[in-house]
Amino acid sequence: MRKTLTSTLLLATACSLTVTAHAAEWTMATPYGDASFHTQNNKQFAEDVAEATDGELTITVHSGGALVSHGEIKPSVRRGTIDAGEVFLSVLSNDDPIFEVDTLPGVAGSYDDAYALWEATKPMITELFAYEGLIPLYAVAWPAQGIYTAEPLTDPAQFEGLRVRAPNINTQRFVDNLGGSPTETEESDIPTAFSTGRVDAMITSSSTGNSMAAWDYVNHYTDANLWLPKNIVFISQKSFDRLDAETQEALMEAAARAEERGWEMSREDNQASLAALEENGLTVSEPNEAISEALQTAGDELFNDWQSRADDEAKQALENYREQTNR
């Protein structure tokens, strides 16, 4: 009897070790809160992966910067501290100008164009990520960026000295070109930034304005359709290589579905968020002629600056996009 029990325990232990050896538990960090459609899409992606792999790969999504701050997400995945992460693509602009191409005014002003731009730049971005031991899984656009202010924007002089929340270096340059004073503020810190007077206005999407209850701080949203920036989700090459071929395939298939779903969620969220802004008392309007001209001039300066810094490969990627879209 003792021998039988011992054999049974050894068998159970061996089975447990076998499961442990094959199952992988990943951590994923995102700076965006649970209300963001990006986070909701990421969590659905994690569920799809778990289901497709019968639990052989599980991904726990840590939202709102709770696990790793925005600026540390990519380095953490590169070091192997975490397995996956999501960042606002243009925060990587110091690494290469190609990462900020989707924040150039006038380059892509619709979802179709924004997706075509992603397709045109994806090979170069994938190559740059691979150089650091990273694999892009999917990218999803935010709704077009507009300007939130306390008062309606009617005169370009209003930009002078205006403290504007700008989440990345390109938006900061844009605000500088307008004569404003850019302030880098994470999405989760927006309420505090307004309440403490660090910012008077912000450039962001209808989606962020809705999730952050912008009506508590401002009264007007100028739907300027400046650009459609993207978030990118990526993983460690080493973590990926530790998976068996079947699990790798299931992961990549789930990522393809997440990208397609995410872009549709963005479209839907834009419409719902614009309606929510108005329902909560914000005046939503398009820029008048004077404001449009000021935005165009600032955008042209931004594009010229990008051209001076971009290498031939980045310029060719943009040219390929323009040929494809006849822009």
Side-chain angles (χ1 to χ4, degrees), residues 57-115:
L57 174 58
T58 58
I59 304 173
T60 302
V61 179
H62 297 266
S63 60
L67 182 66
V68 183
S69 66
H70 198 168
E72 283 299 310
I73 290 177
K74 182 164 171 271
S76 295
V77 179
R78 190 175 64 241
R79 290 191 301 265
T81 308
I82 58 177
D83 304 281
E86 176 184 40
V87 299
F88 194 52
L89 185 60
S90 57
V91 302
L92 308 178
S93 61
N94 285 337
D95 297 342
D96 195 282
I98 194 65
F99 293 126
E100 65 192 63
V101 70
D102 63 2
T103 58
L104 297 175
V107 170
S110 70
Y111 277 103
D112 288 345
D113 285 349
Y115 188 76

Tab-separated table of all heavy atoms in Angstrom, residues 57-115:
chain	number	residue	atom	x	y	z
A	57	LEU	N	-0.596	29.288	-22.642
A	57	LEU	CA	-0.040	30.645	-22.532
A	57	LEU	C	-1.115	31.557	-21.971
A	57	LEU	O	-2.189	31.707	-22.560
A	57	LEU	CB	0.414	31.168	-23.899
A	57	LEU	CG	0.878	32.636	-23.928
A	57	LEU	CD1	2.042	32.865	-22.963
A	57	LEU	CD2	1.267	33.054	-25.343
A	58	THR	N	-0.833	32.155	-20.824
A	58	THR	CA	-1.738	33.129	-20.230
A	58	THR	C	-1.014	34.470	-20.112
A	58	THR	O	0.181	34.511	-19.823
A	58	THR	CB	-2.225	32.687	-18.834
A	58	THR	OG1	-1.095	32.484	-17.982
A	58	THR	CG2	-3.027	31.394	-18.938
A	59	ILE	N	-1.743	35.534	-20.365
A	59	ILE	CA	-1.178	36.876	-20.320
A	59	ILE	C	-1.998	37.715	-19.352
A	59	ILE	O	-3.210	37.876	-19.534
A	59	ILE	CB	-1.193	37.537	-21.713
A	59	ILE	CG1	-0.446	36.670	-22.735
A	59	ILE	CG2	-0.580	38.936	-21.652
A	59	ILE	CD1	-0.565	37.167	-24.165
A	60	THR	N	-1.353	38.236	-18.329
A	60	THR	CA	-2.016	39.114	-17.374
A	60	THR	C	-1.716	40.554	-17.751
A	60	THR	O	-0.546	40.960	-17.784
A	60	THR	CB	-1.534	38.842	-15.939
A	60	THR	OG1	-1.793	37.478	-15.609
A	60	THR	CG2	-2.257	39.754	-14.948
A	61	VAL	N	-2.765	41.324	-18.042
A	61	VAL	CA	-2.619	42.719	-18.457
A	61	VAL	C	-2.677	43.620	-17.228
A	61	VAL	O	-3.676	43.635	-16.509
A	61	VAL	CB	-3.716	43.124	-19.454
A	61	VAL	CG1	-3.565	44.592	-19.854
A	61	VAL	CG2	-3.664	42.222	-20.691
A	62	HIS	N	-1.607	44.363	-16.980
A	62	HIS	CA	-1.552	45.315	-15.870
A	62	HIS	C	-1.770	46.712	-16.451
A	62	HIS	O	-0.920	47.229	-17.181
A	62	HIS	CB	-0.200	45.237	-15.160
A	62	HIS	CG	0.064	43.904	-14.509
A	62	HIS	ND1	-0.230	43.654	-13.196
A	62	HIS	CD2	0.575	42.750	-15.019
A	62	HIS	CE1	0.103	42.412	-12.902
A	62	HIS	NE2	0.595	41.838	-13.995
A	63	SER	N	-2.896	47.328	-16.133
A	63	SER	CA	-3.297	48.596	-16.756
A	63	SER	C	-2.939	49.806	-15.906
A	63	SER	O	-2.522	49.684	-14.748
A	63	SER	CB	-4.804	48.573	-17.011
A	63	SER	OG	-5.516	48.399	-15.795
A	64	GLY	N	-3.105	50.977	-16.508
A	64	GLY	CA	-2.956	52.233	-15.784
A	64	GLY	C	-1.562	52.519	-15.265
A	64	GLY	O	-1.404	53.281	-14.306
A	65	GLY	N	-0.537	51.917	-15.862
A	65	GLY	CA	0.827	52.143	-15.391
A	65	GLY	C	1.097	51.560	-14.021
A	65	GLY	O	2.079	51.939	-13.370
A	66	ALA	N	0.243	50.644	-13.575
A	66	ALA	CA	0.381	50.100	-12.221
A	66	ALA	C	1.621	49.236	-12.060
A	66	ALA	O	2.220	49.175	-10.983
A	66	ALA	CB	-0.862	49.280	-11.870
A	67	LEU	N	2.023	48.561	-13.140
A	67	LEU	CA	3.176	47.669	-13.064
A	67	LEU	C	4.465	48.378	-13.429
A	67	LEU	O	5.471	48.283	-12.712
A	67	LEU	CB	2.966	46.465	-13.990
A	67	LEU	CG	4.059	45.404	-13.986
A	67	LEU	CD1	4.122	44.716	-12.623
A	67	LEU	CD2	3.809	44.370	-15.091
A	68	VAL	N	4.437	49.107	-14.552
A	68	VAL	CA	5.615	49.809	-15.060
A	68	VAL	C	5.159	51.142	-15.644
A	68	VAL	O	4.134	51.208	-16.312
A	68	VAL	CB	6.323	48.986	-16.163
A	68	VAL	CG1	7.586	49.697	-16.637
A	68	VAL	CG2	6.667	47.584	-15.669
A	69	SER	N	5.902	52.206	-15.404
A	69	SER	CA	5.552	53.507	-15.966
A	69	SER	C	5.707	53.483	-17.480
A	69	SER	O	6.443	52.657	-18.036
A	69	SER	CB	6.432	54.605	-15.369
A	69	SER	OG	7.781	54.429	-15.773
A	70	HIS	N	5.035	54.393	-18.146
A	70	HIS	CA	5.015	54.415	-19.612
A	70	HIS	C	6.423	54.392	-20.198
A	70	HIS	O	6.742	53.585	-21.089
A	70	HIS	CB	4.253	55.665	-20.085
A	70	HIS	CG	3.790	55.586	-21.506
A	70	HIS	ND1	2.899	56.491	-22.044
A	70	HIS	CD2	4.089	54.743	-22.518
A	70	HIS	CE1	2.666	56.185	-23.299
A	70	HIS	NE2	3.385	55.129	-23.613
A	71	GLY	N	7.272	55.260	-19.709
A	71	GLY	CA	8.616	55.375	-20.255
A	71	GLY	C	9.492	54.162	-20.011
A	71	GLY	O	10.521	53.981	-20.670
A	72	GLU	N	9.097	53.313	-19.062
A	72	GLU	CA	9.905	52.138	-18.734
A	72	GLU	C	9.369	50.851	-19.336
A	72	GLU	O	9.963	49.782	-19.162
A	72	GLU	CB	9.988	51.979	-17.208
A	72	GLU	CG	10.949	52.948	-16.548
A	72	GLU	CD	12.372	52.763	-17.054
A	72	GLU	OE1	12.843	51.609	-17.060
A	72	GLU	OE2	13.002	53.758	-17.461
A	73	ILE	N	8.242	50.927	-20.047
A	73	ILE	CA	7.643	49.696	-20.575
A	73	ILE	C	8.539	49.032	-21.612
A	73	ILE	O	8.853	47.842	-21.516
A	73	ILE	CB	6.238	49.975	-21.147
A	73	ILE	CG1	5.259	50.287	-20.011
A	73	ILE	CG2	5.727	48.774	-21.944
A	73	ILE	CD1	3.860	50.653	-20.453
A	74	LYS	N	8.973	49.786	-22.610
A	74	LYS	CA	9.815	49.177	-23.647
A	74	LYS	C	11.148	48.669	-23.074
A	74	LYS	O	11.544	47.528	-23.371
A	74	LYS	CB	10.056	50.165	-24.784
A	74	LYS	CG	10.880	49.610	-25.950
A	74	LYS	CD	10.727	50.507	-27.158
A	74	LYS	CE	11.674	50.140	-28.287
A	74	LYS	NZ	12.974	50.840	-28.168
A	75	PRO	N	11.857	49.453	-22.259
A	75	PRO	CA	13.087	48.926	-21.666
A	75	PRO	C	12.856	47.671	-20.824
A	75	PRO	O	13.700	46.775	-20.795
A	75	PRO	CB	13.595	50.091	-20.811
A	75	PRO	CG	13.026	51.312	-21.452
A	75	PRO	CD	11.678	50.888	-21.942
A	76	SER	N	11.700	47.615	-20.153
A	76	SER	CA	11.414	46.459	-19.301
A	76	SER	C	11.198	45.199	-20.128
A	76	SER	O	11.631	44.109	-19.744
A	76	SER	CB	10.188	46.732	-18.423
A	76	SER	OG	10.434	47.785	-17.512
A	77	VAL	N	10.509	45.337	-21.261
A	77	VAL	CA	10.323	44.182	-22.142
A	77	VAL	C	11.670	43.785	-22.751
A	77	VAL	O	11.990	42.597	-22.872
A	77	VAL	CB	9.295	44.492	-23.253
A	77	VAL	CG1	9.131	43.288	-24.188
A	77	VAL	CG2	7.944	44.863	-22.656
A	78	ARG	N	12.466	44.764	-23.112
A	78	ARG	CA	13.776	44.485	-23.705
A	78	ARG	C	14.683	43.738	-22.714
A	78	ARG	O	15.412	42.819	-23.094
A	78	ARG	CB	14.431	45.792	-24.134
A	78	ARG	CG	15.690	45.601	-24.985
A	78	ARG	CD	16.236	46.917	-25.486
A	78	ARG	NE	16.677	47.776	-24.400
A	78	ARG	CZ	16.182	48.978	-24.132
A	78	ARG	NH1	15.202	49.480	-24.876
A	78	ARG	NH2	16.645	49.695	-23.132
A	79	ARG	N	14.617	44.122	-21.442
A	79	ARG	CA	15.440	43.472	-20.424
A	79	ARG	C	14.884	42.114	-20.004
A	79	ARG	O	15.576	41.328	-19.366
A	79	ARG	CB	15.557	44.364	-19.176
A	79	ARG	CG	16.391	45.613	-19.369
A	79	ARG	CD	16.674	46.266	-18.023
A	79	ARG	NE	15.458	46.634	-17.319
A	79	ARG	CZ	14.895	47.833	-17.360
A	79	ARG	NH1	15.442	48.788	-18.095
A	79	ARG	NH2	13.791	48.085	-16.688
A	80	GLY	N	13.617	41.855	-20.319
A	80	GLY	CA	13.003	40.608	-19.914
A	80	GLY	C	12.331	40.671	-18.559
A	80	GLY	O	11.893	39.648	-18.032
A	81	THR	N	12.217	41.874	-17.994
A	81	THR	CA	11.527	42.027	-16.715
A	81	THR	C	10.051	41.693	-16.863
A	81	THR	O	9.428	41.129	-15.968
A	81	THR	CB	11.670	43.469	-16.190
A	81	THR	OG1	13.043	43.833	-16.192
A	81	THR	CG2	11.106	43.592	-14.786
A	82	ILE	N	9.469	42.080	-18.001
A	82	ILE	CA	8.112	41.699	-18.361
A	82	ILE	C	8.158	41.141	-19.775
A	82	ILE	O	9.138	41.327	-20.502
A	82	ILE	CB	7.119	42.883	-18.266
A	82	ILE	CG1	7.560	44.040	-19.167
A	82	ILE	CG2	6.973	43.344	-16.823
A	82	ILE	CD1	6.584	45.209	-19.177
A	83	ASP	N	7.088	40.478	-20.180
A	83	ASP	CA	7.091	39.802	-21.478
A	83	ASP	C	6.485	40.629	-22.602
A	83	ASP	O	6.848	40.456	-23.771
A	83	ASP	CB	6.312	38.487	-21.369
A	83	ASP	CG	6.844	37.592	-20.278
A	83	ASP	OD1	7.866	36.927	-20.508
A	83	ASP	OD2	6.241	37.570	-19.175
A	84	ALA	N	5.550	41.511	-22.259
A	84	ALA	CA	4.822	42.252	-23.290
A	84	ALA	C	4.479	43.646	-22.784
A	84	ALA	O	4.391	43.885	-21.577
A	84	ALA	CB	3.541	41.501	-23.674
A	85	GLY	N	4.270	44.547	-23.716
A	85	GLY	CA	3.932	45.910	-23.324
A	85	GLY	C	3.209	46.654	-24.430
A	85	GLY	O	3.202	46.232	-25.593
A	86	GLU	N	2.622	47.763	-24.051
A	86	GLU	CA	1.946	48.658	-24.995
A	86	GLU	C	2.419	50.075	-24.722
A	86	GLU	O	2.473	50.501	-23.564
A	86	GLU	CB	0.426	48.588	-24.829
A	86	GLU	CG	-0.320	49.570	-25.732
A	86	GLU	CD	-1.821	49.560	-25.501
A	86	GLU	OE1	-2.255	49.471	-24.328
A	86	GLU	OE2	-2.576	49.646	-26.493
A	87	VAL	N	2.774	50.799	-25.783
A	87	VAL	CA	3.159	52.192	-25.637
A	87	VAL	C	2.531	53.017	-26.759
A	87	VAL	O	2.127	52.493	-27.798
A	87	VAL	CB	4.702	52.388	-25.667
A	87	VAL	CG1	5.366	51.634	-24.527
A	87	VAL	CG2	5.285	51.990	-27.011
A	88	PHE	N	2.462	54.309	-26.520
A	88	PHE	CA	2.096	55.278	-27.546
A	88	PHE	C	3.289	55.348	-28.491
A	88	PHE	O	4.398	55.719	-28.074
A	88	PHE	CB	1.840	56.625	-26.859
A	88	PHE	CG	1.140	57.655	-27.693
A	88	PHE	CD1	-0.034	57.372	-28.348
A	88	PHE	CD2	1.658	58.944	-27.779
A	88	PHE	CE1	-0.695	58.348	-29.090
A	88	PHE	CE2	1.021	59.929	-28.513
A	88	PHE	CZ	-0.162	59.629	-29.175
A	89	LEU	N	3.106	54.964	-29.742
A	89	LEU	CA	4.231	54.750	-30.641
A	89	LEU	C	5.167	55.952	-30.725
A	89	LEU	O	6.393	55.800	-30.748
A	89	LEU	CB	3.707	54.389	-32.032
A	89	LEU	CG	4.759	54.017	-33.080
A	89	LEU	CD1	5.574	52.814	-32.633
A	89	LEU	CD2	4.091	53.748	-34.426
A	90	SER	N	4.614	57.134	-30.746
A	90	SER	CA	5.448	58.317	-30.951
A	90	SER	C	6.303	58.687	-29.745
A	90	SER	O	7.185	59.538	-29.859
A	90	SER	CB	4.594	59.519	-31.373
A	90	SER	OG	3.595	59.790	-30.427
A	91	VAL	N	6.088	58.035	-28.578
A	91	VAL	CA	6.992	58.302	-27.446
A	91	VAL	C	8.376	57.728	-27.723
A	91	VAL	O	9.331	58.022	-27.012
A	91	VAL	CB	6.448	57.748	-26.104
A	91	VAL	CG1	5.092	58.322	-25.773
A	91	VAL	CG2	6.430	56.225	-26.095
A	92	LEU	N	8.481	56.918	-28.775
A	92	LEU	CA	9.761	56.316	-29.142
A	92	LEU	C	10.503	57.156	-30.170
A	92	LEU	O	11.498	56.705	-30.742
A	92	LEU	CB	9.536	54.905	-29.712
A	92	LEU	CG	8.691	53.945	-28.859
A	92	LEU	CD1	8.521	52.621	-29.587
A	92	LEU	CD2	9.313	53.741	-27.485
A	93	SER	N	10.046	58.371	-30.406
A	93	SER	CA	10.603	59.192	-31.483
A	93	SER	C	12.084	59.511	-31.295
A	93	SER	O	12.785	59.772	-32.279
A	93	SER	CB	9.806	60.494	-31.629
A	93	SER	OG	9.854	61.255	-30.442
A	94	ASN	N	12.570	59.489	-30.063
A	94	ASN	CA	14.004	59.723	-29.851
A	94	ASN	C	14.852	58.587	-30.424
A	94	ASN	O	16.041	58.772	-30.719
A	94	ASN	CB	14.319	59.896	-28.368
A	94	ASN	CG	13.897	61.253	-27.839
A	94	ASN	OD1	13.772	62.210	-28.599
A	94	ASN	ND2	13.651	61.336	-26.545
A	95	ASP	N	14.233	57.398	-30.585
A	95	ASP	CA	14.948	56.256	-31.155
A	95	ASP	C	15.079	56.387	-32.669
A	95	ASP	O	16.105	56.037	-33.236
A	95	ASP	CB	14.228	54.950	-30.819
A	95	ASP	CG	14.180	54.662	-29.332
A	95	ASP	OD1	14.983	55.263	-28.589
A	95	ASP	OD2	13.341	53.847	-28.910
A	96	ASP	N	14.017	56.883	-33.316
A	96	ASP	CA	14.045	57.049	-34.772
A	96	ASP	C	12.836	57.895	-35.187
A	96	ASP	O	11.742	57.694	-34.656
A	96	ASP	CB	13.980	55.685	-35.475
A	96	ASP	CG	14.358	55.779	-36.941
A	96	ASP	OD1	13.501	56.217	-37.747
A	96	ASP	OD2	15.497	55.442	-37.292
A	97	PRO	N	12.998	58.818	-36.146
A	97	PRO	CA	11.884	59.663	-36.589
A	97	PRO	C	10.709	58.887	-37.184
A	97	PRO	O	9.594	59.419	-37.224
A	97	PRO	CB	12.531	60.566	-37.648
A	97	PRO	CG	13.962	60.648	-37.251
A	97	PRO	CD	14.284	59.282	-36.717
A	98	ILE	N	10.922	57.635	-37.618
A	98	ILE	CA	9.809	56.877	-38.195
A	98	ILE	C	8.708	56.656	-37.172
A	98	ILE	O	7.535	56.533	-37.524
A	98	ILE	CB	10.305	55.512	-38.743
A	98	ILE	CG1	9.247	54.875	-39.654
A	98	ILE	CG2	10.682	54.574	-37.613
A	98	ILE	CD1	8.968	55.637	-40.917
A	99	PHE	N	9.078	56.645	-35.891
A	99	PHE	CA	8.086	56.393	-34.851
A	99	PHE	C	7.127	57.565	-34.651
A	99	PHE	O	6.102	57.407	-33.982
A	99	PHE	CB	8.784	56.063	-33.528
A	99	PHE	CG	9.534	54.766	-33.537
A	99	PHE	CD1	10.874	54.709	-33.184
A	99	PHE	CD2	8.906	53.586	-33.898
A	99	PHE	CE1	11.570	53.517	-33.189
A	99	PHE	CE2	9.588	52.377	-33.921
A	99	PHE	CZ	10.933	52.347	-33.570
A	100	GLU	N	7.451	58.727	-35.197
A	100	GLU	CA	6.580	59.892	-35.014
A	100	GLU	C	5.853	60.282	-36.280
A	100	GLU	O	5.145	61.296	-36.313
A	100	GLU	CB	7.397	61.082	-34.500
A	100	GLU	CG	8.444	61.580	-35.475
A	100	GLU	CD	9.434	62.553	-34.857
A	100	GLU	OE1	10.174	62.149	-33.936
A	100	GLU	OE2	9.456	63.715	-35.293
A	101	VAL	N	5.991	59.472	-37.337
A	101	VAL	CA	5.406	59.858	-38.619
A	101	VAL	C	3.877	59.946	-38.537
A	101	VAL	O	3.250	60.702	-39.281
A	101	VAL	CB	5.844	58.872	-39.731
A	101	VAL	CG1	5.193	57.501	-39.556
A	101	VAL	CG2	5.549	59.447	-41.109
A	102	ASP	N	3.276	59.190	-37.619
A	102	ASP	CA	1.809	59.241	-37.521
A	102	ASP	C	1.324	60.420	-36.678
A	102	ASP	O	0.122	60.549	-36.425
A	102	ASP	CB	1.237	57.928	-36.983
A	102	ASP	CG	1.692	57.591	-35.572
A	102	ASP	OD1	2.440	58.399	-34.973
A	102	ASP	OD2	1.302	56.524	-35.057
A	103	THR	N	2.242	61.290	-36.243
A	103	THR	CA	1.838	62.513	-35.540
A	103	THR	C	2.221	63.749	-36.342
A	103	THR	O	2.407	64.828	-35.778
A	103	THR	CB	2.460	62.584	-34.126
A	103	THR	OG1	3.888	62.525	-34.225
A	103	THR	CG2	1.969	61.441	-33.253
A	104	LEU	N	2.317	63.586	-37.653
A	104	LEU	CA	2.572	64.723	-38.536
A	104	LEU	C	1.245	65.179	-39.132
A	104	LEU	O	0.587	64.409	-39.839
A	104	LEU	CB	3.545	64.334	-39.659
A	104	LEU	CG	4.953	63.923	-39.228
A	104	LEU	CD1	5.752	63.449	-40.434
A	104	LEU	CD2	5.660	65.087	-38.534
A	105	PRO	N	0.823	66.413	-38.853
A	105	PRO	CA	-0.459	66.898	-39.369
A	105	PRO	C	-0.521	66.819	-40.895
A	105	PRO	O	0.458	67.115	-41.583
A	105	PRO	CB	-0.500	68.359	-38.896
A	105	PRO	CG	0.419	68.402	-37.729
A	105	PRO	CD	1.507	67.417	-38.030
A	106	GLY	N	-1.650	66.375	-41.395
A	106	GLY	CA	-1.865	66.359	-42.833
A	106	GLY	C	-1.384	65.108	-43.538
A	106	GLY	O	-1.664	64.916	-44.717
A	107	VAL	N	-0.656	64.233	-42.830
A	107	VAL	CA	-0.152	63.019	-43.477
A	107	VAL	C	-1.255	61.976	-43.608
A	107	VAL	O	-1.449	61.385	-44.672
A	107	VAL	CB	1.053	62.450	-42.709
A	107	VAL	CG1	1.437	61.067	-43.228
A	107	VAL	CG2	2.241	63.396	-42.826
A	108	ALA	N	-1.981	61.727	-42.531
A	108	ALA	CA	-3.072	60.747	-42.556
A	108	ALA	C	-4.228	61.292	-41.731
A	108	ALA	O	-4.149	61.331	-40.503
A	108	ALA	CB	-2.604	59.404	-42.005
A	109	GLY	N	-5.291	61.684	-42.401
A	109	GLY	CA	-6.406	62.322	-41.710
A	109	GLY	C	-7.664	61.486	-41.628
A	109	GLY	O	-8.727	61.989	-41.276
A	110	SER	N	-7.561	60.189	-41.953
A	110	SER	CA	-8.713	59.288	-41.867
A	110	SER	C	-8.229	57.929	-41.388
A	110	SER	O	-7.023	57.629	-41.419
A	110	SER	CB	-9.394	59.137	-43.227
A	110	SER	OG	-8.569	58.404	-44.125
A	111	TYR	N	-9.173	57.094	-40.974
A	111	TYR	CA	-8.782	55.762	-40.514
A	111	TYR	C	-8.163	54.945	-41.644
A	111	TYR	O	-7.178	54.228	-41.437
A	111	TYR	CB	-10.000	55.029	-39.937
A	111	TYR	CG	-10.277	55.393	-38.495
A	111	TYR	CD1	-11.304	56.269	-38.163
A	111	TYR	CD2	-9.514	54.852	-37.452
A	111	TYR	CE1	-11.558	56.611	-36.841
A	111	TYR	CE2	-9.764	55.177	-36.131
A	111	TYR	CZ	-10.783	56.053	-35.823
A	111	TYR	OH	-11.027	56.389	-34.517
A	112	ASP	N	-8.727	55.041	-42.837
A	112	ASP	CA	-8.179	54.286	-43.961
A	112	ASP	C	-6.742	54.711	-44.248
A	112	ASP	O	-5.863	53.873	-44.472
A	112	ASP	CB	-9.046	54.475	-45.204
A	112	ASP	CG	-10.380	53.751	-45.108
A	112	ASP	OD1	-10.516	52.877	-44.225
A	112	ASP	OD2	-11.290	54.065	-45.900
A	113	ASP	N	-6.512	56.023	-44.262
A	113	ASP	CA	-5.154	56.514	-44.509
A	113	ASP	C	-4.215	56.140	-43.369
A	113	ASP	O	-3.049	55.782	-43.601
A	113	ASP	CB	-5.164	58.034	-44.693
A	113	ASP	CG	-5.713	58.452	-46.045
A	113	ASP	OD1	-5.889	57.564	-46.916
A	113	ASP	OD2	-5.971	59.653	-46.237
A	114	ALA	N	-4.705	56.219	-42.144
A	114	ALA	CA	-3.861	55.880	-40.992
A	114	ALA	C	-3.442	54.419	-41.035
A	114	ALA	O	-2.298	54.075	-40.694
A	114	ALA	CB	-4.600	56.187	-39.691
A	115	TYR	N	-4.348	53.550	-41.465
A	115	TYR	CA	-3.993	52.132	-41.562
A	115	TYR	C	-3.007	51.897	-42.700
A	115	TYR	O	-2.060	51.107	-42.571
A	115	TYR	CB	-5.234	51.263	-41.756
A	115	TYR	CG	-4.922	49.794	-41.656
A	115	TYR	CD1	-4.707	49.191	-40.418
A	115	TYR	CD2	-4.800	49.004	-42.808
A	115	TYR	CE1	-4.378	47.848	-40.320
A	115	TYR	CE2	-4.471	47.660	-42.714
A	115	TYR	CZ	-4.269	47.090	-41.467
A	115	TYR	OH	-3.934	45.755	-41.370
